[in-house]
Amino acid sequence: MKKHLFINGKWKEAAVYIDLFSPYSGELIAQVAQADDEDAEDAIQAAEAARTIMKKMPAHERAAILEKTAHLMEERKEELARLLAMEAAKPIRTGRTEISRTIHTYKFAAEEAKRIHGETVPLDAAPGGEGRLAFTVRKPLGIVGAITPFNFPFNLVAHKVGPAIAAGNTVVLKPAGQTPLSSLALAEIMLEAGLPAGALNVILGKGSVIGEKLVRDRRIAAITFTGSPEVGIAMKNKAGLKRVTLELGSNSAVIIDNNVDITQQLVDRCVLGAFSFSGQVCISIQRIYVHEGKYETFAAMFKTAVEKLVIGDPLEEATDMSSLISCKEVDRITSWVSAAIAGGAIALSGGKALSPSLFPPTILTNVAETATVSCQEVFGPVVTLTPFTTLDEAVSAVNNSRFGLQAGIYTNDINAALRAAEDLEVGGVMINDIPTFRVDNMPYGGLKDSGVGREGVKYAVEEMTELKLISLKL
């Protein structure tokens, strides 16, 4: 089945198509269009032409389109979850959770479309400002270039497209090469929901062609990107004066203090945070620091729980973990784990690939802070387990990272919790929870090499609008 580009409200054939295969079964899923520079130009022109329509569209109409999008997704949620299982090897139960979150994200976007407002400014607070009424309004930026990853191909797209449409912008979307079908399904849904032609354009293809075009083209007012630090930093350097929002991943950590009971619930929560979708999550737990007084108990319970995880076909209800997105990723993770073990690390569980596409949930102990599996983003089912003596020591270890997206701390000492929250160099601190916690209306983003700007619908709307001051002399 051929899947075309979506430009100006219509399906457009491309000159080149490539085969898209299931990461798990290897079966051919579809033949996918590959946009060239001319196709990208057509998409930008369509978005430019639709700007006036979106700019003038009342907030209630934008909200209604987003509400209808959520409603149509609700009607098709099982179909969409199966699509995730096919193109991303996301276990079907995990896929259903993503679709549910995506529906909520579009509902949040619909609500925020009706809440975009400014404020009055008391100019008479300054000498010379007397006799004036001043207020601010928020205006759409124009065309938003959205570049999205494979790991949440519905919900991370929603976090870019939803706020952009809520704010009255138009969008040119480039989804990840392995997961384009989700974005094409969204285009179909939003067209049915009443989105004007050109307001959303989906172009598939190489980042070196499409991404480069979006980043450099002066008609694109903003870039919103989720992906690797190397690509994100390169984009920012090329973007000029564009508004840029970057979510670039992490090696997220959780701290478990001595005053915490090691319950099965806590252990299971950490298993979920470390190995959901095979660790291919920006805020997946990669490092666990446990007080030395509780370390042995936690390690034993964690190992037992991890080894109960079911690995297999993403379409099977019992499956907890399936294939990584590509065999290349399995090779990379194998290399990183092998290097850590050669450097003295111990594999408490897992450690070796099960097949060219499957890597088991892996727990490593005695890992050097300088090991790649510790200081870089693994983006796979690998977690390091390390004891600590004092909380300050643990916080320092968490902060000894180029990343700073989210962190978690379990403690029954409120003073310790707040002190750690103050000292942890991350964009979000989850007290008595894992760093993998996220709901879709909270501000989300990081420090250091984890990126710039914030997602979470309200906060993304602010990133995608321009503040204008209006002053009236009375």
Side-chain angles (χ1 to χ4, degrees):
M1 181 194 313
K2 281 192 173 182
K3 292 293 183 178
H4 307 306
L5 309 173
F6 184 76
I7 298 175
N8 203 25
K10 298 177 181 177
W11 301 104
K12 180 186 177 185
E13 293 188 11
V16 175
Y17 288 77
I18 63 170
D19 292 339
L20 181 69
F21 297 97
S22 161
Y24 177 74
S25 68
E27 67 178 297
L28 179 66
I29 303 172
Q31 291 181 308
V32 180
Q34 296 293 283
D36 56 23
D37 193 71
E38 182 179 331
D39 296 319
E41 176 64 25
D42 288 346
I44 294 171
Q45 287 185 9
E48 180 73 16
R51 280 185 61 194
T52 301
I53 297 171
M54 290 301 295
K55 187 176 180 179
K56 292 183 177 180
M57 183 183 289
H60 70 87
E61 290 186 15
R62 300 196 303 272
I65 290 168
L66 291 163
E67 282 282 5
K68 185 70 178 297
T69 297
H71 175 72
L72 292 171
M73 291 192 78
E74 181 73 39
E75 290 182 339
R76 295 174 57 177
K77 60 185 179 181
E78 186 64 20
E79 169 202 340
L80 300 180
R82 293 183 70 83
L83 185 61
L84 283 173
M86 290 172 59
E87 69 173 353
K90 180 164 284 193
I92 187 69
R93 288 182 288 116
T94 309
R96 290 189 189 112
T97 300
E98 179 176 345
I99 298 304
S100 177
R101 283 185 58 189
T102 303
I103 291 166
H104 282 292
T105 300
Y106 283 112
K107 288 182 177 181
F108 283 132
E111 294 168 6
E112 291 302 329
K114 297 178 281 189
R115 295 175 181 161
I116 300 171
H117 59 83
E119 61 184 5
T120 56
V121 181
L123 295 187
D124 63 350
E130 299 90 341
R132 286 174 169 81
L133 172 66
F135 57 94
T136 60
V137 293
R138 285 197 168 272
K139 294 293 185 180
L141 292 177
I143 305 174
V144 173
I147 303 173
T148 57
F150 72 82
N151 57 333
F152 287 88
F154 273 111
N155 200 37
L156 288 184
V157 166
H159 272 283
K160 301 178 188 309
V161 173
I165 298 302
N169 295 295
T170 59
V171 182
V172 178
L173 168 64
K174 194 207 95 61
Q178 180 58 43
T179 53
L181 305 184
S182 305
S183 291
L184 295 176
L186 171 68
E188 180 182 273
I189 287 169
M190 295 199 86
L191 184 65
E192 184 179 348
L195 189 68
L200 172 63
N201 306 275
V202 182
I203 51 176
L204 321 172
K206 294 181 179 179
S208 58
V209 176
I210 308 306
E212 192 78 8
K213 174 79 170 175
L214 295 179
V215 170
R216 291 190 181 276
D217 197 291
R218 293 178 64 86
R219 291 166 294 179
I220 304 293
I223 292 289
T224 173
F225 169 80
T226 300
S228 73
E230 291 70 27
V231 174
I233 291 168
M235 282 184 176
K236 195 170 189 302
N237 290 336
K238 296 172 184 175
L241 296 179
K242 284 182 177 65
R243 193 78 60 85
V244 178
T245 301
L246 303 174
E247 197 279 279
L248 305 178
S250 194
N251 58 347
S252 296
V254 63
I255 298 168
I256 302 173
D257 206 358
N258 192 39
N259 53 35
V260 174
D261 292 332
I262 307 301
T263 64
Q264 193 62 51
Q265 182 181 23
L266 184 154
V267 170
D268 289 344
R269 187 74 173 146
C270 289
V271 171
L272 176 71
F275 301 113
S276 179
F277 193 37
S278 300
Q280 298 172 122
V281 181
C282 296
I283 42 177
S284 174
I285 300 175
Q286 187 172 320
R287 298 176 292 158
I288 302 178
Y289 296 95
V290 185
H291 190 278
E292 59 190 9
K294 298 294 176 74
Y295 179 80
E296 294 298 334
T297 300
F298 179 86
M301 292 177 68
F302 190 59
K303 172 180 166 66
T304 298
V306 165
E307 291 179 348
K308 291 179 180 177
L309 292 173
V310 177
I311 306 169
D313 188 337
L315 287 168
E316 293 290 335
E317 292 290 338
T319 298
D320 297 305
M321 287 175 52
S322 188
S323 300
L324 291 176
I325 199 66
S326 71
C327 296
K328 181 180 176 181
E329 291 302 293
V330 174
D331 292 342
R332 176 184 61 81
I333 292 169
T334 297
S335 173
W336 286 16
V337 170
S338 297
I341 291 172
I346 299 167
L348 194 63
S349 182
K352 294 183 179 179
L354 301 176
S355 76
S357 65
L358 291 170
F359 199 91
T362 295
I363 308 167
L364 297 177
T365 62
N366 197 42
V367 179
E369 283 191 343
T370 55
T372 307
V373 292
S374 179
C375 62
Q376 299 298 325
E377 182 179 35
V378 174
F379 218 64
V382 178
V383 66
T384 66
L385 191 56
T386 306
F388 68 88
T389 304
T390 68
L391 187 58
D392 286 344
E393 172 192 328
V395 170
S396 178
V398 173
N399 288 342
N400 184 24
S401 170
R402 61 184 285 215
F403 300 109
L405 188 46
Q406 292 196 164
I409 176 169
Y410 283 88
T411 180
N412 290 324
D413 182 339
I414 186 63
N415 292 323
L418 294 177
R419 188 172 71 252
E422 176 70 21
D423 293 341
L424 286 165
E425 297 167 356
V426 292
V429 177
M430 309 299 123
I431 297 173
N432 289 332
D433 207 349
I434 55 177
T436 324
F437 172 78
R438 182 184 181 185
V439 291
D440 298 291
N441 61 332
M442 75 187 220
Y444 177 76
L447 311 178
K448 300 188 277 191
D449 281 4
S450 285
V452 294
R454 289 294 181 271
E455 291 191 339
V457 181
K458 171 187 173 183
Y459 307 93
V461 166
E462 292 176 357
E463 300 276 357
M464 295 178 183
T465 52
E466 198 72 68
L467 195 67
K468 176 185 281 189
L469 172 73
I470 299 170
S471 173
L472 172 64
K473 188 174 181 180
L474 301 176

